[in-house]
Amino acid sequence: MDIQTVLFDLDGTLTRSGEGIINCARYAAEQMHCRGPEDWSVFIGPPLVDSFRRFCGLGEAAAEEAVTWYRKRFREVGWEENAVYPGIPRLLRSLRAAGIHAVIVTSKPEEFAVRIAERFGLSPFIDGIIGPGMGEQQPDKEHLIRRAMSQFPGLYVMVGDRVFDVEGAARAGIPSIFAAYGYGRMEEAEGAMAAAESPQALLDLLLPEGPRARGLFLSMEGVDGCGKSTQQQALVAEMQRLGWEIVLTREPGGEEIAEKIRQLILDPGNTGMQDVTEAYLYAASRAQNARMRILPALERGEMVICDRYVDSSIAYQGGGRQLGMDRIRELNAWATENCMPDLTVYLRMEPHEALARRLSTSVPDRLEREQDSFFQRTFEAYEKLYDGRDGWRVVRVNAANSIEAVTQEMLMRVRQRLADLAKRDRQNEQE
Ligand code: TYD
């Protein structure tokens, strides 16, 4: 297919917005004291006024009023009860890499669609958003599609999960692909030129010969006791909500052979382990993990989240063990084929605070029994590293705050940084 612009429906095609839509429809029906359908998912996709008339038995004016209630709840909380389908980031990034425009064409008021695209990380990959204005009578899909076509170059294809998308496209004179993973029933695909069972299948239909965007590599760093494990769970959940397929890994370890190396390193019995031996073992574990797990996942377009990476060695072995930050950096560059994270979350905590937390939660292993001065040097090495040439990729979060506050700050700043990274890629492409 020689496509220049892909028009995407939003609900049920890019985002799994069912939860928010259903909650708001139920709320509106309650406010109107009317009953609703058995299965509320019928509200997902078609124009709301029609649905309230059809499924709640409301007249024209009452249906309009129900929509007002719906919007009230939607504006407050419903719009965030949403998630991007797994694989959509890869799809949109690959379209961008191929120079194809992506435009959202939705029956949702444009204002909401813009907010959702921003919040869920879609905006950097979208060239335009076409939806009805807030006061506007809901125009049908055909008109919205025509509006998009007047602003973006053809050849077009419309992608959507409902009969409205398929028929609207046909009336506007363009082909459509049915998003079979969305909320529509298979009969609704009638007239579409193809059906895609998943965003991945959609990508294969739109770009059978590539290119495929590379994935993203995130790492997490901080001194022992900074709360990394807890925050990692929150980070993974949020990235999944943004549609990323995640490969979670850790160092030392993360891969079969690397996990064996991990046991060797952490064994409390190995009191005679030389510092240099330790540095090589970490690098060996990482060589294995980088080649076997991280690089292949990035090739597949997935997101890797790694609990500790090269920076840990630079800080712990380079700083803590005083082997020299530059030497450890070089050793690891070789071990990893220079594969470095696109973004590093640094949970910053002073060593004395981290120590207090550690002692209150677990029995220390070999490394955790180190002297305070070791952790102090490690901390200082991290600070030096991130104040210097590696600062550009770091999201620094004050880990001494409450767990919830740290999570909030971290997620907000990571989302912001991902948007910045996308903008940077875009500028590079234009140059
Ligand atoms: P980990 O099990 O990740 O501990 P935590 O849950 O505290 O992060 O890491 C084990 C220890 O290994 C930790 O004390 C940090 C240390 N370490 C290094 O010294 N160098 C390295 O390169 C890595 C990856 C970890």
Side-chain angles (χ1 to χ4, degrees):
M1 270 190 289
D2 252 337
I3 297 161
Q4 288 171 296
T5 301
V6 183
L7 309 179
F8 286 100
D9 169 50
L10 183 61
D11 297 336
T13 301
L14 296 179
T15 58
R16 186 189 281 139
S17 44
E19 185 192 339
I21 293 176
I22 288 173
N23 291 345
C24 293
R26 278 173 182 266
Y27 169 82
E30 263 168 42
Q31 299 301 317
M32 299 300 295
H33 306 290
C34 62
R35 290 165 56 94
E38 191 98 319
D39 175 11
W40 288 83
S41 66
V42 291
F43 270 88
I44 304 163
L48 287 168
V49 183
D50 295 353
S51 296
F52 279 114
R53 293 181 69 174
R54 205 159 139 210
F55 304 117
C56 300
L58 298 176
E60 178 86 41
E64 297 279 356
E65 198 187 332
V67 172
T68 310
W69 284 113
Y70 176 103
R71 297 243 163 94
K72 176 180 180 298
R73 188 182 181 283
F74 195 83
R75 185 175 291 118
E76 287 160 10
V77 289
W79 74 279
E80 256 193 308
E81 296 167 338
N82 203 346
V84 176
Y85 282 104
I88 291 295
R90 170 178 26 201
L91 165 67
L92 294 178
R93 292 166 85 237
S94 298
L95 288 179
R96 163 125 295 156
I100 296 176
H101 292 93
V103 177
I104 294 177
V105 180
T106 175
S107 315
K108 234 186 190 56
E110 211 169 278
E111 179 200 321
F112 286 147
V114 168
R115 246 208 275 173
I116 291 165
E118 269 298 311
R119 163 66 181 79
F120 291 92
L122 303 174
S123 314
F125 307 104
I126 295 291
D127 299 284
I129 298 182
I130 309 287
M134 207 44 122
E136 191 181 350
Q137 271 285 340
Q138 284 199 354
D140 63 22
K141 256 298 159 56
E142 177 193 348
H143 288 102
L144 294 168
I145 290 171
R146 287 190 187 280
R147 206 180 283 174
M149 290 165 70
S150 71
Q151 293 177 29
F152 294 90
L155 307 149
Y156 310 93
V157 64
M158 172 77 206
V159 181
D161 70 319
R162 303 307 302 260
V163 65
F164 311 93
D165 303 310
V166 177
E167 286 178 355
R171 283 200 296 271
I174 63 169
S176 61
I177 297 177
F178 186 69
Y181 54 85
Y183 294 103
R185 283 164 294 122
M186 218 38 220
E187 305 89 275
E188 301 184 40
E190 176 85 38
M193 89 182 163
E197 292 296 334
S198 64
Q200 175 65 52
L202 182 55
L203 174 58
D204 293 338
L205 281 169
L206 292 170
L207 289 175
E209 275 152 34
R212 295 288 179 269
R214 190 172 173 274
L216 275 179
F217 183 9
L218 273 55
S219 64
M220 298 189 77
E221 295 284 352
V223 294
D224 290 55
C226 67
K228 212 158 30 64
S229 312
T230 314
Q231 298 303 339
Q232 180 189 285
Q233 287 175 10
L235 182 66
V236 170
E238 177 68 10
M239 292 301 110
Q240 283 172 334
R241 205 174 242 279
L242 302 190
W244 283 100
E245 293 149 300
I246 310 282
V247 169
L248 189 59
T249 180
R250 69 168 182 185
E251 296 203 344
E255 185 271 350
E256 207 183 331
I257 296 172
E259 286 290 329
K260 291 183 186 159
I261 302 176
R262 176 187 176 93
Q263 287 176 6
L264 204 60
I265 299 173
L266 298 183
D267 185 345
N270 287 339
T271 48
M273 187 178 293
Q274 298 297 294
D275 294 349
V276 176
T277 312
E278 187 187 90
Y280 273 101
L281 286 177
Y282 280 117
S285 159
R286 184 164 297 127
Q288 196 65 22
N289 196 31
R291 285 151 211 262
M292 298 298 289
R293 293 212 59 195
I294 298 176
L295 286 164
L298 294 176
E299 281 303 309
R300 292 194 302 271
E302 293 168 8
M303 176 181 276
V304 175
I305 298 184
C306 192
D307 184 352
R308 299 195 177 281
Y309 195 61
V310 172
D311 299 353
S312 280
S313 280
I314 297 179
Y316 281 81
Q317 281 64 53
R321 302 271 189 238
Q322 298 175 291
L323 294 176
M325 293 170 68
D326 285 337
R327 182 184 286 158
I328 298 295
R329 185 200 292 277
E330 273 166 37
L331 171 64
N332 279 278
W334 181 55
T336 61
E337 299 185 50
N338 280 316
C339 166
M340 287 298 278
D342 299 293
L343 187 164
T344 297
V345 175
Y346 173 43
L347 297 173
R348 183 181 187 279
M349 188 179 261
E350 301 273 348
H352 62 92
E353 281 174 290
L355 177 69
R357 281 212 193 174
R358 271 196 330 270
L359 294 181
S360 69
T361 54
S362 65
V363 183
D365 64 28
R366 180 176 74 86
L367 299 177
E368 288 169 337
R369 285 180 203 159
E370 287 294 339
Q371 300 296 315
D372 284 357
S373 53
F374 169 78
F375 286 111
Q376 186 61 37
R377 285 195 302 272
T378 301
F379 172 73
E380 281 164 14
Y382 267 129
E383 294 287 298
K384 190 167 163 206
L385 182 64
Y386 296 149
D387 280 341
R389 66 183 236 197
D390 288 87
W392 65 271
R393 68 176 150 86
V394 176
V395 167
R396 198 186 300 240
V397 182
N398 177 5
N401 290 331
S402 73
I403 291 179
E404 294 76 29
V406 173
T407 303
Q408 285 249 325
E409 188 192 343
M410 172 182 75
L411 297 184
M412 211 245 316
R413 304 220 0 241
V414 167
R415 286 200 302 262
Q416 183 56 51
R417 188 59 68 86
L418 292 179
D420 291 346
L421 280 177
K423 274 184 217 135
R424 188 197 61 185
D425 288 350
R426 198 166 177 162
Q427 274 160 5
N428 288 347
E429 275 158 28
Q430 280 161 0
E431 272 160 20

